[in-house]
Amino acid sequence: MTSNSDSGVRREMASERPAAATSLAGSIISAMRLHQWSKNFLIFVPLIISHEFDLADIRDAAIAFFSFSLVASATYIFNDILDREVDELHETKRLRPFASGDLQPSTGWFVIAALILLGAGLAALLPIAFGMVLAAYVVASVAYTLRLKRMLGLDIVVIACLYVLRVIAGDEAIGAQFEGLDSSDWILAFSCLLFLSLATVKRCSELARLGSGPQQRLLGRSYTVGDYPVMLAIAAAAGLSSMAILMRFIGSPDVTQNFSQPRILWVIVPLLIFWLIRMLLLANRGKIHTDPVVYTLRDPMSQLCGIGVFLVSLLAW
C-alpha cells in the first residue's frame, strides 16, 4: 500500500508521475524519464579529463548529451511498453504512463520513432564513431529489455556496460581519444567496476525491501531473497576495486604531468570511499528506491561529496 511507503518511495512516485501527467504532453514527458538524463552527464567526463575546453569540443559534447538523452528516452519508452503488465504489479512502476493507462502503446511507438530520428539527426553532426557507440547502446538496451534483464548476473553486467558506453560516447564525440594518453584505460576500468557496483547496489536495495515477506523473487528478475548476501558482497568488492584503480590512476604520469598539485587529488579517495560505504549501507536498509546515479544526484550527503570532489580537483588543477 502506498500509504505505508516511506519518504523514499513517495519521492520516486512523484518522479514517475508528475502532476502534469494528466495531459498527453505531460504523460509523454513522464514516459521520457527526463530525470534519468542526469546519467548522461557522464558524456562530459572525457572532456574534463582531456584538459581541453575549446568551444568546438564543448559544443560537440553538448550535442552528444542531447543526442544520447533523446535516444535513451526512446529505449525507456520501449521498455515500459513491453513491461507494462509487470509494472502494474510494482509499488511505484505501476504509476508509469503505460502501466497506468495514461498512454497507449500506439502513442509510444510514434514517440519512439520521433525521438530516434531527432537523436540520430544530432548524431549526424558528430564523428561517425559516436554514432556507432550510440547504435551499440540501442542494441544493448533493446537486448536488455527483451531478454538480458531476466538473466541472472548478466543483467547487472549489461547495466554497467550501458554506463561505460556513455563515457566512450563522450570521448568519440569530441574526438579526443584522451589526447593520446593512457587515461582512457584507467577511466574505463574505473567506470566498469564503479558502475557494476552501483548496478548491484540497486538490486541489493530491492532485495532488502522484500525482506522476509511472502514475495521471495524480484518481479521480472531472476533474483531471490537468498541471493542478497552474495549481491552485497559483489557490490562492495567491485566498488572498492574501483577505488584501488582510482588511487593507481592518481599516481600515474597522466595525472602527475597534467595537474599542478596532483597530491591534493588524494583527498578525493576518502570522500569517495565514504560515499561508497554509505551507498552500501543504504542499500542494505532498502533505502535506495531509484537508479543509484539519480539517487546520488538528489541525495544531500552525496551532493556534498560531489562538491568536495569538484573543489579538490580545482585546487589540484
Side-chain angles (χ1 to χ4, degrees):
M1 297 290 291
T2 57
S3 59
N4 295 325
S5 300
D6 61 22
S7 60
V9 174
R10 288 195 295 271
R11 283 195 299 270
E12 185 177 352
M13 288 180 177
S15 69
E16 295 287 358
R17 192 183 189 185
T22 54
S23 67
L24 177 61
S27 295
I28 291 174
I29 291 174
S30 178
M32 289 175 63
R33 304 190 210 175
L34 298 187
H35 61 284
Q36 297 277 8
W37 283 23
S38 57
K39 295 186 291 188
N40 299 326
F41 281 109
L42 291 169
I43 285 173
F44 292 95
V45 168
L47 178 65
I48 297 171
I49 296 297
S50 70
H51 279 231
E52 297 290 337
F53 295 98
D54 61 78
L55 290 179
D57 285 346
I58 295 174
R59 177 203 63 204
D60 289 346
I63 292 173
F65 171 83
F66 286 106
S67 173
F68 212 101
S69 296
L70 290 168
V71 171
S73 285
T75 66
Y76 299 151
I77 294 174
F78 176 76
N79 176 83
D80 289 353
I81 291 175
L82 268 61
D83 278 5
R84 61 189 185 280
E85 294 181 359
V86 175
D87 289 347
E88 289 173 1
L89 305 176
H90 193 275
E91 60 180 344
T92 57
K93 293 180 181 180
R94 63 186 178 84
L95 298 177
R96 289 177 175 176
F98 294 100
S100 65
D102 288 339
L103 282 179
Q104 297 301 312
S106 56
T107 303
W109 294 118
F110 175 80
V111 175
I112 287 173
L115 291 173
I116 291 291
L117 287 174
L118 287 172
L122 290 175
L125 302 175
L126 300 172
I128 190 171
F130 170 81
M132 294 173 65
V133 176
L134 185 61
Y137 175 88
V138 172
V139 171
S141 295
V142 170
Y144 177 82
T145 295
L146 294 176
R147 176 63 180 168
L148 300 183
K149 67 181 178 182
R150 289 179 287 276
M151 298 183 69
L152 190 66
L154 186 57
D155 64 326
I156 58 174
V157 174
V158 173
I159 291 174
C161 289
L162 292 176
Y163 280 117
V164 175
L165 282 174
R166 290 171 164 89
V167 179
I168 297 174
D171 185 27
E172 299 296 351
I174 62 176
Q177 300 300 318
F178 293 101
E179 297 302 319
L181 302 176
D182 292 332
S183 303
S184 56
D185 293 334
W186 292 110
I187 295 302
L188 292 179
F190 170 77
S191 300
C192 282
L193 289 170
L194 178 63
F195 293 126
L196 176 62
S197 177
L198 293 180
T200 312
V201 157
K202 183 178 181 181
R203 292 289 180 263
C204 288
S205 189
E206 293 168 342
L207 289 170
R209 290 200 299 274
L210 288 183
S212 58
Q215 183 180 326
Q216 295 293 295
R217 179 182 292 271
L218 291 179
L219 284 174
R221 301 294 186 271
S222 298
Y223 298 96
T224 65
V225 172
D227 297 324
Y228 173 77
V230 176
M231 297 295 286
L232 189 62
I234 293 172
L240 292 175
S241 295
S242 72
M243 295 300 112
I245 291 175
L246 175 63
M247 287 186 279
R248 182 63 186 87
F249 175 54
I250 290 175
S252 70
D254 289 342
V255 172
T256 57
Q257 295 174 10
N258 287 280
F259 284 85
S260 61
Q261 301 293 331
R263 290 186 178 274
I264 295 178
L265 293 173
W266 283 100
V267 179
I268 291 175
V269 176
L271 286 173
L272 289 184
I273 290 178
F274 160 71
W275 167 77
L276 176 63
I277 291 173
R278 186 170 180 274
M279 291 291 284
L280 291 169
L281 291 173
L282 290 174
N284 185 60
R285 299 176 183 181
K287 297 295 185 180
I288 299 178
H289 299 276
T290 186
D291 184 285
V293 174
V294 176
Y295 179 89
T296 295
L297 294 173
R298 295 175 176 175
D299 174 52
M301 187 59 70
S302 297
Q303 291 171 355
L304 286 175
C305 289
I307 292 172
V309 170
F310 175 73
L311 292 177
V312 170
S313 300
L314 282 183
L315 288 174
W317 199 272

